[in-house]
């Protein structure tokens, strides 16, 4: 790669990203006078071009580069392996303060007011580069091969300084110490760890579950990772497991090095320790305990956290196997017409029949499936199973009913969702009008253009769309006009006390009136009593679903509820 850093100049290179040409020029001039080399950029695309060619020592980005431009630049920067550890300082005004959280999550090291005097900017830039420099020079790509006993390592003080710096802008930080267990196996290199990090971010279903991840080669036999911008602690456990699995195959082939067991020790602030030195000690201690297990393992230093993390990782592994082992089943709950009480629809609800733990409700494993991306195969399996069931019932001569299938936001973000739905319908021979996809309000508020395209596509296909748990999500209702929605499902929480609580009654009444005004079908979820049914009937709600009619039941039982055509 044509790296400016190698062109003989030892003056640090700054990337100055600002859409305002005057400010960009003024700051660039000041920094050049201060002895820096400057690469200006007016937009994200130019920044990315620059990053392809060079590796700046620091990025100064204006928060207003574009909508979310500052944070977006950080995110992209973190995805360019070479630049993943480049420090970022964001310039902002009072109006941008809301953006701090997002920027911090993608690893912005520091924030400065736009009005800060150039000499102060220079000072901050210099100290930031200095404190990161010892690490940058130890990046994996520049390391001597791991077999070389003399390869450079960061000393403990450098590591602690990095941790202290990270803790200065993020209170939740994790330190992972990683080693190869068997004495005879190849030593662990930063490359091994970097490979694991790349795989982790590729496989993550959520965008950047972890903010900034820095790899520090701390001794000839272990490597340390410092993580900040942690949205959920379980992602740290998952990262650790990914490192354990990926790094067990050494990066440097040819040396005859075979697979080896990897031990990872994890310590987190503030749960476990709140000083850098303690964090490092605890992670090392956990790593040594982990290394006692010959097959390699992940250990959190904090005992409670360790139990929790082990249980989660085990459950995740079980869930991975659940589809193949036929442990998932779909139950069906009828939706009935409020006047005739005839079944007009069914909702497919997944259950997990775990071999040791018994039946696990979706609320217990859908969130895990979403975090791990397993919801994609699971959701697809539910869709196929429900459509195939619909086909079987129709073939058996029952009057056709709509089959409701819940979609997770993660599935909704898949670019091939439309194709998957279309293919499933074709393969199972179900007409699109008998499939009803249940969405949530939150899903409709994200990235409106692509949402719109996807929903239009589904609508054009002839699939029915309903809004599940209506009334609990965002309050903007304009999407009801813009999207091809067919049905609103009033959330159970409003139905529960609808006959006693006047607020709930008012909410349910207005939802029904609004739905009818917009020519939408409306169904009440969670109807358990006759008086709720009567109340909803007076309000002209179209359909109900709930224990009063039937709980979700296995397919054989649900079949007994279906009508034969007269
Ligand atoms: P949901 O889609 O709103 O489903 C309705 C939930 O209410 C179901 O819980 C159902 O068993 C329960 N329910 C139905 N009638 C009554 C009633 O009269 N009283 C009470 N108290 N509860 C009632 P379940 O099956 O535990 O599912 C919970 C949630 O899990 C579902 O909420 C849905 O969001 C999600 N889920 C279930 N299956 C799937 C799936 O295949 N894919 C996805 N993405 N999510 C699913
Ligand atoms: Mg539902
Ligand atoms: Mg619901």
């Amino acid at each position: 790669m044509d790296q400016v850093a190698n062109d003989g100049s030892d003056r640090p290179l700054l990337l100055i990203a600002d859409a305002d040409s005057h400010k960009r020029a003024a700051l660039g001039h000041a920094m050049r006078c201060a002895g820096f080399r400057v690469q200006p950029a007016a937009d994200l695309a130019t920044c990315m071009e620059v990053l392809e060619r060079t590796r700046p020592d620091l990025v100064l980005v204006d928060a207003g580069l574009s909508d979310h431009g500052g944070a977006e630049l950080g995110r992209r920067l973190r995805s360019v392996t070479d630049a993943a550890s480049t420090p970022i300082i964001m310039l902002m005004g009072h109006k941008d303060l809301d953006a701090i959280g997002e920027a911090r999550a993608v690893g912005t090291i520091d924030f400065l007011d736009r009005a800060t005097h150039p000499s102060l900017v220079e000072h901050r830039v210099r100290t930031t580069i200095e404190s990161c420099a010892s690490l940058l020079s130890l990046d994996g790509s520049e390391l001597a091969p791991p077999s070389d006993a003399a390869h450079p390592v960061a000393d403990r003080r450098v590591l602690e300084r990095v941790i202290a710096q990270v803790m200065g802008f993020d209170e939740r930080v994790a330190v992972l110490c990683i080693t190869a267990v068997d004495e005879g196996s190849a030593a662990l290199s930063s490359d091994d760890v970097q490979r694991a990090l790349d795989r982790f971010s590729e496989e993550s279903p959520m965008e950047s579950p972890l903010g900034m991840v820095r790899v520090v080669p701390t001794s000839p036999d272990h490597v340390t990772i410092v993580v900040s911008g942690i949205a959920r602690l379980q992602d740290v456990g998952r990262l650790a497991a990914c490192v354990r699995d990926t790094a067990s195959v050494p990066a440097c082939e040819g040396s005859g090095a075979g697979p080896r067991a990897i031990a990872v020790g994890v310590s987190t602030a503030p749960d476990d320790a709140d000083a850098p030195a303690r964090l490092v000690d605890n992670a090392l201690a956990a790593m040594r305990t982990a290394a006692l297990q010959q097959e390699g393992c992940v250990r959190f230093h904090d005992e409670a956290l360790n139990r929790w993390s082990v249980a989660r990782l085990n459950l995740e592994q079980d869930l991975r196997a659940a589809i193949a082992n036929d442990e998932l089943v779909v139950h069906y709950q009828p939706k009935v017409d409020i006047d005739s009480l005839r079944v007009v629809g069914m909702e497919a609800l997944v259950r997990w029949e775990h071999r040791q733990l018994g039946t696990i409700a979706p609320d217990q494993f859908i969130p895990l499936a979403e975090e791990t991306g397993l919801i994609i195969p699971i959701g697809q399996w539910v869709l196929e199973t429900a459509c195939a069931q619909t086909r079987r019932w129709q073939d058996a001569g029952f009057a056709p009913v709509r089959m409701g299938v819940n979609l997770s936001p993660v599935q909704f973000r898949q670019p091939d969702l439309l194709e998957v739905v279309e293919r499933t319908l074709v393969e199972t021979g179900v007409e699109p009008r008998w499939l009803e996809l249940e969405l949530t309000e939150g899903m409709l508020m994200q990235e409106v253009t692509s949402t719109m395209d996807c929903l239009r596509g589904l609508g054009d296909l002839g699939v029915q769309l309903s809004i599940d748990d209506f009334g609990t999500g965002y309050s903007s209702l304009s999407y009801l006009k813009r999207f091809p929605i067919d049905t609103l499902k009033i959330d159970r929480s409003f139905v529960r006390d609808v006959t006693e609580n006047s607020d709930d009654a008012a909410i349910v009444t207005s939802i029904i009136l609004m739905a009818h005004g917009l020519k939408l079908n409306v169904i009440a979820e969670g109807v358990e009593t006759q008086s709720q049914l009567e109340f909803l009937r007076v309000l002209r709600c179209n359909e109900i679903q709930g224990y009063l009619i039937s709980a979700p039941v296995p397919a054989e039982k649900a079949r007994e509820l279906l009508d034969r055509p007269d």
Side-chain angles (χ1 to χ4, degrees), residues 263 284-293 297 299:
L284 281 171
M287 179 187 84
R288 289 188 197 110
T289 315
L292 294 177
Q293 304 202 343
C297 84
R299 246 200 107 76

Side-chain angles (χ1 to χ4, degrees), residues 30 38 56 62 78 102 158 160 175 217 237 246 270 283 342 444 463 543:
V38 169
D62 192 277
R78 298 297 169 229
E102 196 188 353
V158 173
E160 286 177 19
V175 174
T246 314
R342 283 199 158 173
L444 304 183
V463 170
E543 295 168 19

Side-chain angles (χ1 to χ4, degrees), residues 335 402 436 438-439 441 444 464-471 477 479-481 483 485-491 508 510-525 541-545:
K335 300 173 180 179
R402 300 187 325 260
E436 176 174 25
E438 299 196 1
L439 320 169
E441 289 168 274
L444 304 183
Q464 302 259 316
L465 300 173
S466 61
I467 309 286
D468 207 349
D469 309 335
F470 186 78
L477 296 174
Y479 68 81
L480 290 177
K481 274 196 321 196
F483 297 131
I485 305 297
D486 304 284
T487 302
L488 299 187
K489 300 189 71 176
I490 305 175
D491 190 64
V508 169
S510 359
I511 295 178
I512 296 175
L513 282 174
M514 179 185 66
H516 288 166
L518 294 166
K519 307 219 166 23
L520 301 175
N521 189 35
V522 54
I523 171 164
E525 296 182 313
C541 183
N542 305 93
E543 295 168 19
I544 59 163
Q545 180 181 0

Side-chain angles (χ1 to χ4, degrees), residues 1 3 15 44 47-56 72-86 139 194 198 201 213:
M1 191 184 289
Q3 293 216 343
L15 170 60
L44 266 178
C47 289
M48 293 318 289
E49 256 173 56
V50 171
L51 287 168
E52 270 170 30
R53 286 184 282 116
T54 67
R55 195 177 93 190
E72 182 58 28
L73 177 57
R75 203 169 291 124
R76 295 200 194 174
L77 207 63
R78 298 297 169 229
S79 69
V80 178
T81 316
D82 264 4
S85 50
T86 304
D139 259 6
Q194 189 59 53
D198 293 346
S201 52
V213 180

Side-chain angles (χ1 to χ4, degrees), residues 333 347-351 362-363 366 375 382 406-408 411 438 468-469 492 525-528 546-547 552:
Q333 187 179 38
E347 176 170 5
L349 293 156
V350 69
R351 271 100 187 85
D363 291 340
I366 296 284
I375 191 67
V382 172
N406 293 283
L407 271 195
S408 145
Q411 287 173 278
E438 299 196 1
D468 207 349
D469 309 335
R492 199 166 74 213
E525 296 182 313
V527 177
E528 296 183 357
Y547 295 166

